Amino acid sequence: MSLTSLCSAADRPVLKGNLVVTGALVTLGDLIENAGVNAGEALFHAPDIGTKGTIQAWRIVEAARALGVQDIEVRNLQTVLIERTGRSASSGEIADALAQEFMTRSAIADRNRVVVHLDAGSGPYQFDAPLDAQLLIENLTHEPTTGRFEAALSVRGASKRSRQVRISGVLTELIDALRLRRTIGRGEVITPGDVTVERIARNRASTDLAATLGEVVGLASRRSIAEGLFVRSADLEKPRVITRNDPVTIVLETPHMVLSVRGRAVDGGAVGDVIDVQNINSKRVVQATILGPGKVSARLSTQRQTASAAGPQPLSTP
C-alpha cells in the first residue's frame, strides 16, 4: 500500500462507539472521528443529566453528510449509546460543603468539630455544569437546640436548566469537655491524670463545662463528683489552705514595722481570699487576706497606722 493510501485511511471519518458527553448538545466531533472543520456543529440533543440514550447509526451518517462529511466508516455499528454526565455531588461532598459554610459562619477552624447527617435522599445529585464546578450552599438555616438544618444546594457556573435543590438534616457542633477518670472527693485537688478530654455535642452540654486542663488542674472540688461525669466550672474552687477554727498567724504590717499575733480562723478559704480572723488575745475579729496555710495578713486602720508612726503598738493588736 502506498504512503498516500495510508494517509488517506488514517484521515477517513470513523463513527465512534459508545460515548460520554457533559453538555446539552451532541456535536459532529463527538460522534465522528476526523470530522473536519465542522466538528463543533451540534447534531442532536443529549439525554438528561445522569441518563443514557441511543442514536441510530444511519441518522448520524445522514446528519454528517449534510455537513459535508462523506465516506464514513461505520464499523458495522447499528446504534451509538450516549451517556450524559454533569457535575456530580455525592452525599459526602455535600456534607463537607455544609460543614465549611457553617464553620465560616461560626468562626470554627477545625472540620472535626462539625458533624453533618443528611436526611435520606439527600444526594447524590447531578448538575449541568463543568465537572470541577464548586458546590454552593445558600440560605442555610440552623436550629441550635435540635441541630436541624435546611439549605439550598447548587453549583457555580451551572446552566439555567440546572436546578437548585433543597437539602436538610442534622448539623452538630462538637466541643471539648473533661470527663473524670476517677471519683473526686470534696476538697480534693484535680491533677492532669484525673480527667480525659472528650468531644460532645454542644446542644447537649451545659454552658459551664470545663474544656481545658488549665481550667481544672490545681483546683479543688466543692463536692464529691463521681467517675465518668463531666467537670463543671461551678464545681471547682481554689484549694482551701485554711479551714474554719484553724489556728493562724496574723501578720500586721505598718509603714515602720511588721507584727505578728496568734489568731483563729472564723472562716475558711484559699490563698488570696479575704476571711474573718479572731485575735486570740484581744478576741477582736478583723478581716485578713490568706497568705498560705496558717498565715494571714491584716491591715491596720488608717487611725491605727497613724498611731503606729508615733511609736510601737502593743502586740494585742488588732
Side-chain angles (χ1 to χ4, degrees), residues 44 87 231 282 305:
F44 304 99
R87 172 62 164 92
V231 182
S282 69
Q305 290 180 17

Side-chain angles (χ1 to χ4, degrees), residues 27-51:
T27 67
L28 177 63
D30 290 330
L31 296 164
I32 304 291
E33 194 75 41
N34 300 324
V37 295
N38 293 321
E41 293 290 332
L43 298 185
F44 304 99
H45 287 290
D48 291 335
I49 296 174
T51 64

Side-chain angles (χ1 to χ4, degrees), residues 1-14 33-34 70-71 73:
M1 182 179 292
S2 67
L3 180 61
T4 302
S5 298
L6 288 173
C7 292
S8 177
D11 294 337
R12 183 180 179 183
V14 178
E33 194 75 41
N34 300 324
Q70 306 294 327
D71 193 24
E73 173 59 57

Side-chain angles (χ1 to χ4, degrees), residues 15-17 31-32 43-44 54-65 72-82:
L15 180 63
K16 297 179 182 179
L31 296 164
I32 304 291
L43 298 185
F44 304 99
T54 57
I55 304 177
Q56 293 173 309
W58 67 266
R59 291 185 61 198
I60 299 173
V61 172
E62 280 193 356
R65 285 174 178 171
I72 301 171
E73 173 59 57
V74 298
R75 300 186 299 154
N76 295 321
L77 294 174
Q78 300 298 313
T79 59
V80 173
L81 178 66
I82 299 176

